[in-house]
Amino acid sequence: MSTEPIRGRLSEIRDRIAEACRHYGRDARDVNLLAVTKTVAVPTIRTALAMGQQHFGENYLQEACAKIAAIDDAAVTWHFIGGVQSNKTADIARNFTWVHTVCREKIAQRLAAQRPAHLPPLKVMVQVNVSGESSKAGVGPQETSRLIESMLRLDGLELRGLMTIPAPDKGIDAQRKGYSRLRELKEEIKARYGDDLPDFTDLSMGMSADFEAAIAEGATWLRIGTAIFGARQYKH
Ligand SMILES: *Cc1c(COP(=O)(O)O)cnc(C)c1O
């Protein structure tokens, strides 16, 4: 498969991010692009890497570990963005720099305990279910600060912020609602525990279909797959 379409789409996404930052008065240095590479093959990931893409997000541990082993490049930072099961925490704590999807205390404790001592603390975000759909993972907005509180004293974790996957909505105003809820929640938590949370600055939100809305509401990590790599070829 030719890698040319990926080059074009990645530069186009970068342009759209820059444009949205100008439009919404965001400093472009605060808005990071996480290239979501679930189902994407190693040579394609290397194409993005050659274009200066540093951060990659994966959902499925086995698939991710194979790619991490194949792309042993110091320039790459791996983010885990899939559901975290207890029996996977050790491998996640060993292989990733970031985890965006912590939504239970027990999982946080295991990740903290299993983070190898020679590595810096694992950077984590708490996944919040802002739209309250029962099918979605994530802690409810009301329970978020209690979960954060339970994580404050875990060595081995650096609490970085909140993440969400809202219900898909059409139109930027509707899309901004869920994202503004996450931003407010982050501000509430920061106000309450700020002294204990010096690095609690991140909002992981915005995907291919709605990242401009997320930029408008303060996203610091955009998780974009399809708009860069095309439609995914298979589903897990
Ligand atoms: C797959 C995935 C994405 C990327 O979604 P696209 O619509 O392909 O950009 C972002 N976040 C999470 C958690 C995902 O699983």
Side-chain angles (χ1 to χ4, degrees), residues 34-38 57-60 80-83 100-101 127 163-165 204-211 222-232:
L34 178 61
V36 175
T37 45
K38 57 172 177 265
E58 288 281 339
N59 295 59
Y60 306 105
F80 193 76
I81 62 169
H100 291 225
T101 42
Q127 181 174 0
M163 175 272 202
T164 198
I165 312 172
S204 168
M205 57 191 202
M207 315 204 300
S208 292
D210 63 6
F211 66 86
L222 310 171
R223 308 181 311 269
I224 301 181
T226 313
I228 300 170
F229 300 108
R232 286 180 279 277

Side-chain angles (χ1 to χ4, degrees), residues 5-234:
I6 283 128
R7 291 178 174 279
R9 286 192 296 244
L10 181 52
S11 7
E12 189 190 317
I13 287 295
R14 286 173 171 167
D15 290 346
R16 282 175 59 191
I17 293 170
E19 176 56 31
C21 286
R22 273 192 296 277
H23 187 75
Y24 294 108
R26 298 286 314 279
D27 185 335
R29 288 169 300 187
D30 295 336
V31 182
N32 299 285
L33 173 58
L34 178 61
V36 175
T37 45
K38 57 172 177 265
T39 81
V40 175
V42 166
T44 309
I45 297 176
R46 287 195 194 282
T47 303
L49 183 60
M51 286 182 70
Q53 177 62 35
Q54 183 196 344
H55 295 276
F56 294 91
E58 288 281 339
N59 295 59
Y60 306 105
L61 188 60
Q62 247 191 323
E63 177 189 339
C65 288
K67 292 175 188 174
I68 293 170
I71 307 175
D72 182 18
D73 185 318
V76 177
T77 304
W78 295 98
H79 297 236
F80 193 76
I81 62 169
V84 186
Q85 295 153 293
S86 326
N87 62 345
K88 305 280 169 65
T89 51
D91 280 334
I92 292 172
R94 264 198 292 273
N95 286 289
F96 289 82
T97 303
W98 291 77
V99 179
H100 291 225
T101 42
V102 173
C103 40
R104 283 194 291 142
E105 184 179 352
K106 180 181 163 205
I107 294 292
Q109 286 168 347
R110 291 177 65 92
L111 289 170
Q114 292 165 335
R115 179 67 169 173
H118 69 277
L119 295 176
L122 188 62
K123 298 174 200 294
V124 297
M125 289 187 265
V126 165
Q127 181 174 0
V128 183
N129 183 351
V130 287
S131 42
E133 296 161 284
S134 53
S135 61
K136 283 264 163 69
V139 64
Q142 320 301 338
E143 290 89 55
T144 305
S145 88
R146 199 169 33 166
L147 175 57
I148 300 274
E149 192 172 319
S150 77
M151 293 167 66
L152 286 177
R153 271 164 255 300
L154 293 177
D155 290 330
L157 301 186
E158 183 176 305
L159 270 159
R160 292 301 299 252
L162 302 178
M163 175 272 202
T164 198
I165 312 172
D169 257 316
K170 291 217 165 56
I172 189 148
D173 294 337
Q175 290 168 351
R176 284 181 67 162
K177 279 218 182 93
Y179 291 144
S180 74
R181 183 78 191 91
L182 197 72
R183 173 174 49 74
E184 288 162 9
L185 200 54
K186 188 199 77 174
E187 285 159 10
E188 282 166 37
I189 289 166
K190 186 84 184 155
R192 191 149 164 194
Y193 304 109
D195 295 344
D196 292 320
L197 290 175
D199 305 305
F200 199 77
T201 51
D202 283 291
L203 286 171
S204 168
M205 57 191 202
M207 315 204 300
S208 292
D210 63 6
F211 66 86
E212 276 110 345
I215 291 172
E217 294 297 342
T220 65
W221 288 101
L222 310 171
R223 308 181 311 269
I224 301 181
T226 313
I228 300 170
F229 300 108
R232 286 180 279 277
Q233 299 300 307
Y234 64 92

